[in-house]
Amino acid sequence: MEPVTEQQEMLIVTGMSGAGRSTVGNTLEDLGWYVVDNLPPQMLLPLVDLAHRAGDSLPRVAAIIDVRGGKRFSDAQDAIQSLRASTSLRVLFLDAEDAALVRRFEQVRRPHPLQDDGTPLDGIAAERIRMAEIRSSSDIIIDTTDLNIHQLATTIVEKFATENDAGLRITIESFGFKYGLPADADMVADCRFLPNPFWVPELKALDGLDERVRAYVVGAAGAQEFVADYARALEPVFAGYQRENKRHATIAIGCTGGKHRSVAIAEELSAILSGLPGVAVNIKHRDRGRE
């Protein structure tokens, strides 16, 4: 197997059942990692080989391995040591106190994968024995005892996000109220207080992406103040979203038909929000072509 290029990152996520592997996997996916869950240790070498062949299309790969693999998990440490000899690899181990793990299993009403006919504590004790060697050789150990899922996700972002990773991805969506609110909107703003280009004969057939319509809408009294004030009002909201690890949000901007005012205002708002640190903005115009 050829070594993985320096640009590629390989991460193994493992640890105690109930310690937060699913949360970590979801957060890594949000950061752009290619995540494989419940991978048999015997498949680690083929996965690394695949990552190398894929090159830039798989720059960051994470494999979640754990005792759900049953007897196959006994080969995990050997597979990890083999990988360390041939590639740049980090191992993240998630741990928590027994009482916290028991409480989490009780909350989801699922048995520990190793408890058999015993109690969750029996399963946890057996798992600690199986995990001892991997834990002692891990690069990063995170104790999740006192972390909720949002705090754990934030910890992962702090450790694994790069400068190019957006902390928050925003979709700004223009729409027409007469066609109904977007079902996925987190916040809705109404720009029907602005003069409607629909009633201007030379603008009626155009839409908010046309420079003439944009100038008409943005030049109206109160339009620029509305956009600037709304953008400022969103800044603490976005900061709170990132603290709570809410990584996606949709802001809906509405007018009557979704063709003129909402399109132009959405474009103006997008231009401002795109300049905020840690925020990536996507824009869509749901109803622009309906009239």
Side-chain angles (χ1 to χ4, degrees):
M1 181 186 68
E2 299 181 42
V4 173
T5 62
E6 292 182 0
Q7 290 75 25
Q8 289 178 311
E9 294 183 70
M10 303 297 303
L11 177 69
I12 290 177
V13 179
T14 188
M16 298 297 294
S17 300
R21 291 188 308 263
S22 295
T23 297
V24 170
N26 292 337
T27 305
L28 290 172
E29 283 190 342
D30 288 341
L31 291 174
W33 288 68
Y34 181 80
V35 179
V36 183
D37 191 14
N38 197 15
L39 186 74
Q42 295 81 0
M43 295 300 296
L44 284 171
L45 289 172
L47 177 64
V48 171
D49 188 50
L50 172 64
H52 169 71
R53 294 176 187 278
D56 292 342
S57 64
L58 283 179
R60 294 184 287 181
V61 178
I64 301 176
I65 64 172
D66 51 72
V67 295
R68 288 176 296 172
K71 294 180 179 179
R72 296 186 299 273
F73 187 74
S74 60
D75 296 330
Q77 183 63 9
D78 290 341
I80 291 172
Q81 291 306 112
S82 230
L83 284 177
R84 286 193 186 279
S86 61
T87 187
S88 176
L89 173 74
R90 286 184 291 174
V91 178
L92 167 63
F93 190 96
L94 301 171
D95 205 347
E97 296 176 359
D98 289 1
L101 296 175
V102 170
R103 183 170 61 253
R104 292 168 188 174
F105 278 108
E106 289 177 345
Q107 288 173 345
V108 298
R109 299 182 180 181
R110 296 191 64 187
H112 187 283
L114 297 183
Q115 77 179 66
D116 294 326
D117 295 329
T119 67
L121 272 175
D122 295 329
I124 291 168
E127 187 175 24
R128 288 204 185 279
I129 293 172
R130 291 196 190 184
M131 287 291 187
E133 189 175 5
I134 292 178
R135 188 185 192 282
S136 65
S137 62
S138 293
D139 302 286
I140 305 168
I141 298 175
I142 298 177
D143 188 329
T144 70
T145 300
D146 298 318
L147 301 179
N148 61 37
I149 59 174
H150 305 296
Q151 293 167 331
L152 174 56
T154 298
T155 299
I156 296 303
V157 170
E158 291 171 349
K159 289 185 179 296
F160 295 100
T162 68
E163 292 182 358
N164 295 324
D165 288 322
L168 178 64
R169 297 188 180 277
I170 295 296
T171 296
I172 299 176
E173 181 175 5
S174 69
F175 73 97
F177 277 98
K178 72 179 185 179
Y179 300 117
L181 292 172
D184 57 351
D186 295 285
M187 291 169 281
V188 177
D190 184 354
C191 60
R192 289 176 294 184
F193 69 93
L194 296 171
N196 192 348
F198 179 86
W199 303 112
V200 180
E202 62 268 26
L203 300 179
K204 179 177 179 179
L206 306 175
D207 61 49
L209 294 182
D210 187 279
E211 178 57 29
R212 289 163 290 180
V213 174
R214 189 206 72 81
Y216 181 88
V217 173
V218 176
Q224 293 186 37
E225 292 84 353
F226 169 75
V227 174
D229 290 347
Y230 192 42
R232 279 193 294 271
L234 288 171
E235 289 187 27
V237 176
F238 292 169
Y241 279 170
Q242 294 186 64
R243 286 194 300 272
E244 294 300 313
N245 204 52
K246 178 178 173 63
R247 303 186 59 80
H248 304 273
T250 297
I251 301 169
I253 309 293
C255 64
T256 303
K259 179 179 179 179
H260 297 107
R261 293 167 290 180
S262 62
V263 172
I265 293 298
E267 291 286 335
E268 293 294 310
L269 184 63
S270 173
I272 296 176
L273 297 183
S274 294
L276 296 179
V279 176
V281 179
N282 174 55
I283 190 165
K284 61 185 292 189
H285 302 298
R286 191 190 72 177
D287 301 323
R288 182 170 66 92
R290 296 187 69 164
E291 287 189 351

